[in-house]
Amino acid sequence: MIPKFRAFIKRTEQIEDVTEIDFETEDIEVSSGSWYEIDKVVLMQSTGKSDIKGNEIWQKSIVKVENHPFQKDKNGCGIEIDGNYLVEWNDEDLTWCVGNLLLFRLLPYVTVVGDYYRNPELLEGE
């Protein structure tokens, strides 16, 4: 898999696909054709996975887990899984995680609902 990145541009608070990274000058080019210094953006890598609607899942995406078969039922059996989670890389497990759960195991129950930079309120109370 060829790594794909997108960038949160701090000044404009917009997210754009990264088309080029110049490691010598430490600049990036985004899909609009603009160039930014690397410290003026936050890079986010694609997980290479998609949600149940076909939307690509990125680092710092906020995903909603629904209808997981182990979700606690009305009798209190099961565990709390359903909810919103931030997608992050886990250095210990060397894989993408949602909270402390492995992303690849939750894919049949995951929908992208936003991202950390534009929708932080989606994580409140989670």
Side-chain angles (χ1 to χ4, degrees), residues 49 95-96 101-108:
K49 305 292 182 197
T95 192
W96 294 103
L101 305 168
L102 302 177
L103 174 62
F104 77 92
R105 292 196 178 192
L106 296 177
L107 286 175

Side-chain angles (χ1 to χ4, degrees), residues 5 8 13 18 21 30 33 40 53 55 77 103 109 116 122:
F5 293 92
F8 173 74
E13 296 188 355
V18 173
I21 300 175
V30 294
K40 305 290 188 219
K53 295 180 179 179
N55 299 309
C77 296
L103 174 62
Y109 316 102
Y116 175 79
L122 295 174

Side-chain angles (χ1 to χ4, degrees), residues 20-55:
E20 187 174 337
I21 300 175
D22 187 325
F23 292 100
E24 289 183 22
T25 63
E26 296 185 355
D27 293 327
I28 65 156
E29 181 183 28
V30 294
S31 53
S32 65
S34 298
W35 284 86
Y36 295 93
E37 296 173 14
I38 200 88
D39 63 344
K40 305 290 188 219
V41 303
V42 179
L43 290 178
M44 296 168 282
Q45 186 173 351
S46 171
T47 64
K49 305 292 182 197
S50 297
D51 70 4
I52 58 176
K53 295 180 179 179
N55 299 309

Side-chain angles (χ1 to χ4, degrees), residues 72-125:
K72 190 179 287 187
D73 63 20
K74 62 184 175 196
N75 298 322
C77 296
I79 57 176
E80 289 293 335
I81 295 178
D82 289 1
N84 291 350
Y85 295 88
L86 184 64
V87 176
E88 291 280 17
W89 178 256
N90 183 309
D91 287 331
E92 262 184 48
D93 295 323
L94 300 175
T95 192
W96 294 103
C97 289
V98 290
N100 61 356
L101 305 168
L102 302 177
L103 174 62
F104 77 92
R105 292 196 178 192
L106 296 177
L107 286 175
Y109 316 102
V110 166
T111 305
V112 175
V113 293
D115 66 75
Y116 175 79
Y117 297 103
R118 295 181 293 187
N119 315 103
E121 70 279 0
L122 295 174
L123 293 172
E124 292 175 7

